Amino acid sequence: MSAKTYEVRTYGCQMNVHDSERLSGLLEDAGYVRAPEGTGEGEADVVVFNTCAVRENADNRLYGNLGRLAPMKAQRPGMQIAVGGCLAQKDRDTIVKRAPWVDVVFGTHNIGKLPVLLERARIQEEAQVEIAESLEAFPSTLPTRRESAYAAWVSISVGCNNTCTFCIVPALRGKEKDRRPGDILAEVEALVAEGVSEITLLGQNVNAYGSDIGDREAFSKLLRACGSVEGLERVRFTSPHPRDFTDDVIAAMAETPNVMPQLHMPLQSGSDTVLKAMRRSYRQERFLGIIEKVRAAIPHAAISTDIIVGFPGETEEDFEQTMHAVREARFANAFTFQYSKRPGTPAAEMDGQIPKEVVQARYERLVALQEEISWEENKKQVGRVLEVMVAEGEGRKDGATHRLSGRAPDNRLVHFTKPSGDVRPGDVVTVEITYAAPHHLLAEGETTSVRRTRAGDAWEKRNAAPQQPAGVMLGLPAVGVPAPLPAPTGGCSAVG
């Protein structure tokens, strides 16, 4: 009898992507195998939706997908459908009512129960709905099927203590809970031993790490400790909160060679009035002061951000303050969002909701300004010689252009001429930048050098093994594993 196949569909933030690696690991530990690439919709024996509650119309998207699977499930006895993640945590009582063909509903705190719940649903022939109100086991203790041989997420905390009025995530993932530093470093060292050369430290509010264990400098100490892990070439983290971004963190970034010169720090708005309404506990001057300190300590740092346009009550003057902050900060790139009501958040009930056409017009002005700045900042990279870690699946046109793609230390995307020798994802090439576009760099000359790495060896070993069923179907832009970061969603960990 052949093993049952599974498929995981992921929506939302980096935390969900990492949770899906856990779900895949749990299912494989229980004897399931991943559905082969090219498997048609509804052909996997188990389909798991790992949902997000941040996006507008997230529930409509879920129920539309569930609706398409209903007739397929009716024709395939034994097929099972599970729904987990933030939307499941929020809408626990309505999912099975609206989609009675769903077999399992589980929340953000008990992802480790998925295989047991699937088996229980099969035996009892009825839906299993189990939502834990608090964390049962830190996710990093669960089996994991990593999506990359050379880059990995490492979760350092779960939950969030902030109360941003546009964000429902703290209500769904709970208060911040920190892992012990020794456990984090043990995971990092184990990953490096397997060939991983880049890690991204992950948390809803990553630089608040230590608040749960009573050490205000715990995050900077953790960055420095990562610097002593032999074989670890690149360390990144996401997403910090300006409130908790302290000078010791800047010093640790500047003084730890393998911490990359990259910072993603959500601004959300440049208006002090709007920031107050958002319950963001910093103001424009404080935010720009952090940027100035980072640039003084790390001159080549690439800084990115998240911005919400059209928050309730935002005036034209408020919006101009955001434009001013963007001009001053000169972000390498920005993830910009039009405000939309998230049911269950305080902002959804606020007066002063902005007309759609006004929000759209402001959004277009902001995007045009940021595109101009991104291009100008990227042009400054022309002539620089950079070490680029070769990535998998980054350049959609690489086959036609005879190029490969990867990430510079500051996380900028670089397309470069394919060298004559063998180059593998995880290897590092040295190239000179010859052209800049707003969202990528080109190195059109010959590659200066190719450094074969243990990460490249790990990628080669994984791909030379008997072909495993491949490809979690991520409901995200094709920028999956840590380098590059998945585009933030306007909420959750991406907006801290």
Side-chain angles (χ1 to χ4, degrees):
M1 180 178 174
S2 60
K4 290 185 177 181
T5 59
Y6 76 89
E7 169 193 336
V8 178
R9 302 188 190 183
T10 310
Y11 306 95
C13 70
Q14 301 96 322
M15 196 66 77
N16 270 17
V17 176
H18 190 35
D19 281 350
S20 287
E21 292 185 328
R22 306 289 180 199
L23 293 171
S24 296
L26 284 159
L27 290 170
E28 294 187 9
D29 207 44
Y32 296 84
V33 297
R34 181 176 290 192
E37 193 170 352
T39 298
E41 185 172 37
E43 292 181 10
D45 296 309
V46 172
V47 179
V48 183
F49 292 88
N50 189 8
T51 63
C52 172
V54 172
R55 294 273 189 186
E56 186 178 20
N57 298 323
D59 53 345
N60 292 339
R61 185 180 185 188
L62 171 66
Y63 293 119
N65 287 328
L66 291 175
R68 283 201 307 276
L69 288 180
M72 303 174 193
K73 187 174 189 289
Q75 295 172 12
R76 294 191 58 216
M79 178 184 174
Q80 290 185 297
I81 299 172
V83 179
C86 287
L87 195 66
Q89 189 83 18
K90 183 170 81 77
D91 293 347
R92 64 191 76 184
D93 299 323
T94 59
I95 291 174
V96 174
K97 289 178 185 175
R98 289 186 61 177
W101 54 94
V102 169
D103 298 276
V104 171
V105 179
F106 62 102
T108 59
H109 297 308
N110 62 332
I111 64 175
K113 289 286 186 67
L114 176 59
V116 172
L117 294 172
L118 287 168
E119 184 66 7
R120 196 186 300 164
R122 185 184 65 78
I123 292 170
Q124 298 182 6
E125 297 185 343
E126 65 180 14
Q128 303 294 310
V129 180
E130 190 170 304
I131 307 288
E133 295 303 330
S134 59
L135 195 66
E136 293 186 346
F138 206 92
S140 295
T141 63
L142 302 173
T144 306
R145 188 192 194 282
R146 299 278 179 181
E147 290 302 308
S148 169
Y150 56 89
W153 305 106
V154 175
S155 185
I156 69 170
S157 64
V158 294
C160 181
N161 294 336
N162 293 323
T163 57
C164 302
T165 54
F166 54 79
C167 185
I168 197 170
V169 168
L172 303 180
R173 288 195 178 265
K175 292 291 185 183
E176 181 178 325
K177 186 171 180 60
D178 296 335
R179 288 177 77 190
R180 290 174 54 222
D183 292 342
I184 296 168
L185 289 169
E187 182 179 357
V188 170
E189 289 167 352
L191 287 166
V192 172
E194 294 170 8
V196 167
S197 61
E198 176 175 315
I199 61 145
T200 299
L201 302 175
L202 185 63
Q204 307 285 164
N205 179 8
V206 71
N207 61 322
Y209 176 74
S211 62
D212 181 48
I213 56 179
D215 184 353
R216 295 190 61 176
E217 294 191 353
F219 185 60
S220 62
K221 292 174 183 175
L222 182 61
L223 289 178
R224 292 183 187 276
C226 286
S228 64
V229 177
E230 189 174 350
L232 180 58
E233 296 196 18
R234 295 186 172 191
V235 177
R236 305 186 191 276
F237 58 89
T238 194
S239 287
H241 191 296
R243 182 194 68 185
D244 303 301
F245 207 89
T246 48
D247 290 350
D248 60 298
V249 173
I250 297 173
M253 290 176 67
E255 295 165 14
T256 311
N258 63 357
V259 175
M260 293 295 96
Q262 174 220 347
L263 175 63
H264 181 83
M265 189 163 62
L267 169 65
Q268 303 306 3
S269 173
S271 161
D272 290 355
T273 302
V274 173
L275 288 170
K276 185 177 180 181
M278 288 178 167
R279 285 195 207 141
R280 301 286 287 181
S281 51
Y282 56 88
R283 299 296 177 257
Q284 183 192 114
E285 184 178 5
R286 156 83 172 148
F287 185 94
L288 293 177
I290 294 170
I291 301 293
E292 188 175 341
K293 286 182 178 179
V294 170
R295 290 225 166 94
I298 314 166
H300 287 300
I303 299 172
S304 56
T305 197
D306 302 328
I307 299 173
I308 297 173
V309 176
F311 189 80
E314 181 188 77
T315 64
E316 180 63 24
E317 184 180 352
D318 291 325
F319 177 68
E320 283 297 339
Q321 283 298 308
T322 295
M323 296 285 274
H324 171 74
V326 169
R327 290 187 190 99
E328 290 294 310
R330 300 199 63 81
F331 300 112
N333 60 76
F335 298 98
T336 51
F337 306 91
Q338 298 184 42
Y339 172 78
S340 57
K341 287 185 178 182
R342 268 68 164 184
T345 63
E349 308 301 322
M350 287 182 176
D351 294 334
Q353 302 286 331
I354 312 295
K356 172 68 176 173
E357 61 273 17
V358 175
V359 178
Q360 180 69 33
R362 289 176 184 170
Y363 174 79
E364 290 173 2
R365 286 162 58 196
L366 176 61
V367 168
L369 173 62
Q370 183 55 53
E371 287 277 302
E372 179 185 324
I373 292 171
S374 293
W375 200 357
E376 289 172 356
E377 291 302 305
N378 274 0
K379 285 176 182 176
K380 295 177 183 177
Q381 304 299 309
V382 173
R384 290 190 67 195
V385 175
L386 301 175
E387 281 201 335
V388 175
M389 183 177 288
V390 183
E392 188 172 27
E394 290 270 26
R396 286 171 296 204
K397 299 178 183 177
D398 281 354
T401 57
H402 303 291
R403 293 182 181 131
L404 295 176
S405 299
R407 293 278 159 174
D410 65 9
N411 210 39
R412 283 183 165 93
L413 177 61
V414 179
H415 304 300
F416 58 94
T417 303
K418 189 173 183 178
S420 55
D422 183 32
V423 181
R424 308 157 304 176
D427 287 341
V428 175
V429 299
T430 304
V431 298
E432 181 178 342
I433 303 304
T434 57
Y435 175 81
H439 302 292
H440 68 266
L441 303 173
L442 284 183
E444 299 164 298
E446 288 187 14
T447 301
T448 307
S449 68
V450 176
R451 178 163 59 85
R452 292 173 70 84
T453 65
R454 291 173 60 254
D457 294 343
W459 180 90
E460 189 170 42
K461 181 179 179 182
R462 176 188 281 199
N463 285 272
Q467 196 62 41
Q468 295 292 319
V472 164
M473 299 175 66
L474 298 176
L476 285 167
V479 291
V481 273
L485 299 173
T489 62
C492 204
S493 66
V495 297

